[in-house]
Amino acid sequence: MKKIIFALTCILVFALAASAQAQVGFGIKGGLTLAKLTGDNTGNLESRTGFMVGGYAGFPIGEGMTLQPELVYAQKGAKFGTDSDDVVEKFDYVEIPVLFKYTVDGQGARPYFLVGPYLGLNTSAKIESGGQSVDVDEIKSTDFGLVFGLGVELQQFLIEARYELGLTDIYEEPEGIEDLGSLKTSTIAFQIGYAFPTP
């Protein structure tokens, strides 16, 4: 994990150096998330509906190309069961995506594409059922994955859809217990945002 944090730091430093003479843009975004868990023994799981909100900076690195680090709060997890017997796994993260953004030049609506890694820091892990809540101690403190997204810019506003694919198991392996299988995060997000005007 130290290597991952070091790599993300290097990318940010490179962006700052490469964009020293360029105008840096800032914005905010937020919206709906549909989160699930993928891996072993997840056949009965359904999506947990939550939200994602945060801010971003844009460092121009070429024609139509931007390096976009973000700071995001995201609700993830899953649920299973029906009606009053629903069991909801609520895993919340502060995420640091570092994304490559390519924007198609044009007048009016401008489509764009996003791809890059994210580092997630777990802030809360609970299982809720029937009005009762239990903390989950076996959740790892960090998550790592990839972001794929597309959107459209409408002047200062944006509409975006993205998919976050978790690449690491989110559960610690309990000592003395056999392998419980793999569980990774999987999240679809629909967001709207606003880009602050650059001076």
Side-chain angles (χ1 to χ4, degrees):
M1 187 53 63
K2 291 182 179 180
K3 292 181 179 179
I4 294 172
I5 296 174
F6 177 74
L8 292 176
T9 302
C10 288
I11 292 173
L12 287 174
V13 171
F14 172 78
L16 290 170
S19 307
Q21 303 302 320
Q23 286 188 324
V24 179
F26 297 92
I28 55 175
K29 63 176 70 174
L32 176 74
T33 58
L34 301 174
K36 287 189 70 175
L37 298 176
T38 62
D40 302 324
N41 304 315
T42 58
N44 295 325
L45 292 182
E46 300 177 4
S47 296
R48 174 201 177 188
T49 302
F51 69 89
M52 175 182 289
V53 63
Y56 65 89
F59 299 90
I61 56 176
E63 188 66 30
M65 296 181 291
T66 306
L67 196 63
Q68 182 171 294
E70 301 180 353
L71 184 62
V72 178
Y73 175 77
Q75 293 186 325
K76 299 190 175 185
K79 75 172 185 177
F80 58 93
T82 58
D83 301 326
S84 61
D85 295 327
D86 280 351
V87 177
V88 184
E89 297 177 298
K90 295 185 174 182
F91 306 144
D92 299 342
Y93 291 86
V94 171
E95 295 183 342
I96 309 171
V98 180
L99 307 177
F100 171 79
K101 178 181 179 181
Y102 178 75
T103 304
V104 179
D105 194 16
Q107 300 295 324
R110 300 195 304 162
Y112 64 85
F113 307 91
L114 296 168
V115 65
Y118 74 85
L119 175 67
L121 307 176
N122 182 261
T123 59
S124 176
K126 299 178 181 295
I127 293 180
E128 294 186 357
S129 178
Q132 302 296 317
S133 178
V134 178
D135 291 334
V136 182
D137 297 327
E138 294 81 12
I139 293 294
K140 293 180 180 178
S141 60
T142 57
D143 182 31
F144 181 74
L146 295 174
V147 176
F148 305 91
L150 55 87
V152 60
E153 295 178 349
L154 304 166
Q155 296 182 348
Q156 301 301 124
F157 297 92
L158 62 89
I159 302 172
E160 180 181 301
R162 65 169 59 184
Y163 175 63
E164 293 193 355
L165 173 65
L167 299 179
T168 57
D169 293 338
I170 63 170
Y171 274 98
E172 300 280 3
E173 188 66 31
E175 185 176 353
I177 298 180
E178 295 182 359
D179 186 8
L180 299 177
S182 172
L183 284 175
K184 300 179 176 66
T185 59
S186 174
T187 308
I188 298 173
F190 302 96
Q191 302 184 88
I192 58 175
Y194 179 77
F196 298 108
T198 54

